Structure formats: C-alpha cells, structure tokens
C-alpha cells in the first residue's frame, strides 16, 4: 500500500521536512526509502570497507536531517545526499590511513556461475580500488550510480568535460591494469 508521501516530489518532501514534526518524520522516511540504497552503495564503493561505509552512510542521513532547515540544496536531492556522503568520505579518508580491502566483494554479487567469472570480477574490483580517488570516484558515480556527467561534475566540483575525461581515463587505467593478467589467461 502506497502512502501519501510516495507521490510527492523531492522538493515537496524537503518542504514537508521543514514543517511539523509528524510531517517531517514521514517525509524523511520517504526520502530515506528512495535514496538510502544509492548512498549506501556509494559509501561502500568509495571506502571499500563495510563498517566504515555503514558509519558514513548513517552520518549522511543524520547530517541531512539535522541541517535540512538551514541549507539550500540546489540541484537534485539524490545529488545533494551523495555530496554529503562524498564530503564525509573525503574527511574520513583524510583522517585515517586507508588500506586496500580485498575481502569485501561478496556483498556486490549474490551468486557466481563459475570460479573464473568470480576471479575476473575480483580482478576488476581490485583494479578499481587501485585507481587514484580522483579517477575512482567519477567512475563509481557513473557506472554504479548511473549519474550523468553534469551530476558528477556538480558532486565532484569539476566541469562536465572533466568528469567525462576522468571516467574515460579511469576505464583506460583499468584496462591497463588488467592487460597483463588477460594476456596470461589467453596463453
């Protein structure tokens, strides 16, 4: 059964959050239901650590709820939430030393048809982790979150042309990383 808030636009939900407490909680719940999976996936892919990603994910919605009355969102709500998550992820990465987590692939893929497919998927994931953050973030936003180049530019504070170039370069770097492995496999 759909509630009355499921028919509201993002802008209407934000306005409802700024009104009475009961309206605010219900509107927030609808926003959370709409965008929590996108924000959670973004945090997991950027941080490569489930526990840290879960903390940043929760903090993203906490910060949004806490400051919704004080901030102008400009652009899409989905992009605004990802921007909050991005800033929290960047702060976390700045404040902690990161290591590459190799054992975090299982949440992405439910079943594998064979060992070789699993191995290739793991290699691709690891190659994404090896990318510099400036390449990895736009690639994740484009490939996994299906953001447009204009949205990526807004979130990353770059031009759309630069966003497109960074995604293209990230793909080239992944191909280069995988080139030697694929040459071994085809021998």
């Amino acid at each position: 059964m759909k509630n009355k808030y499921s028919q509201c636009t993002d802008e209407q939900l934000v306005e409802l959050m700024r009104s009475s407490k009961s309206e605010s909680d219900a509107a927030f719940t609808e926003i959370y239901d709409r965008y929590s999976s996108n924000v959670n996936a973004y945090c997991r892919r950027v941080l490569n650590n489930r526990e840290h990603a879960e903390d940043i994910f929760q903090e993203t919605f906490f910060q949004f709820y806490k400051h919704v009355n004080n901030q102008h969102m400009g652009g899409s709500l989905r992009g605004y939430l990802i921007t909050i998550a991005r800033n929290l992820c960047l702060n976390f990465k700045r404040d902690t030393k990161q290591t590459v987590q190799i054992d975090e692939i299982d949440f992405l893929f439910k079943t594998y048809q064979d060992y070789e497919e699993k191995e290739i998927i793991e290699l691709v994931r690891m190659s994404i982790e090896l990318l510099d953050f400036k390449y990895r973030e736009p690639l994740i936003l484009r490939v996994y979150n299906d953001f447009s180049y204009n949205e990526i530019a807004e979130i990353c504070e770059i031009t759309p042309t630069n966003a497109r170039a960074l995604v293209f370069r990230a793909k080239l770097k992944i191909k280069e990383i995988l080139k030697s492995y694929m040459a071994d496999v085809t021998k």
Side-chain angles (χ1 to χ4, degrees), residues 35 38-40 42-43 46 56-57 59-61 63-64 71-92 133 137 141 145 147-158:
Y35 298 114
N38 285 352
V39 174
N40 193 7
Y42 174 81
C43 292
V46 168
I56 298 297
F57 164 71
E59 183 67 18
T60 298
F61 280 96
Q63 291 297 324
F64 170 71
Q71 297 179 344
H72 172 67
M73 280 166 230
S76 73
L77 181 56
R78 180 176 78 145
Y80 181 74
L81 289 167
I82 294 292
T83 300
I84 294 171
R86 176 184 188 261
N87 290 335
L88 291 169
C89 287
L90 289 174
N91 290 343
F92 176 80
F133 185 74
E137 181 182 32
L141 289 171
N145 293 99
F147 277 98
S148 70
Y149 290 112
N150 289 336
E151 290 172 315
I152 295 169
E154 183 181 322
I155 292 167
C156 297
E157 299 175 351
I158 56 177

Side-chain angles (χ1 to χ4, degrees), residues 9-32:
T9 65
D10 290 348
E11 294 78 20
Q12 291 169 328
L13 290 170
V14 169
E15 285 307 313
L16 288 169
M17 283 187 67
R18 293 176 175 158
S19 64
S20 71
K21 178 72 172 145
S22 62
E23 294 275 326
S24 176
D25 290 345
F28 176 78
T29 300
E30 179 62 30
I31 290 170
Y32 182 87

Side-chain angles (χ1 to χ4, degrees), residues 41-42 45 78 109 124 128 131 135-149 152 166-168 170-171 174:
Y42 174 81
R45 288 185 183 105
R78 180 176 78 145
F109 304 98
V124 170
I128 291 171
L131 294 174
Y135 297 109
R136 183 173 19 151
E137 181 182 32
L139 180 70
I140 288 169
L141 289 171
R142 181 72 179 162
V143 174
Y144 292 108
N145 293 99
D146 200 31
F147 277 98
S148 70
Y149 290 112
I152 295 169
L166 289 172
V167 170
F168 179 75
K171 290 177 181 178
I174 289 171

Side-chain angles (χ1 to χ4, degrees), residues 118-128 177-178 181:
K118 181 180 177 181
E119 188 176 351
I120 290 171
I121 290 169
E122 179 70 14
L123 286 168
V124 170
R125 188 193 61 76
M126 287 174 42
S127 66
I128 291 171
I177 291 168
L178 294 176
Y181 176 78

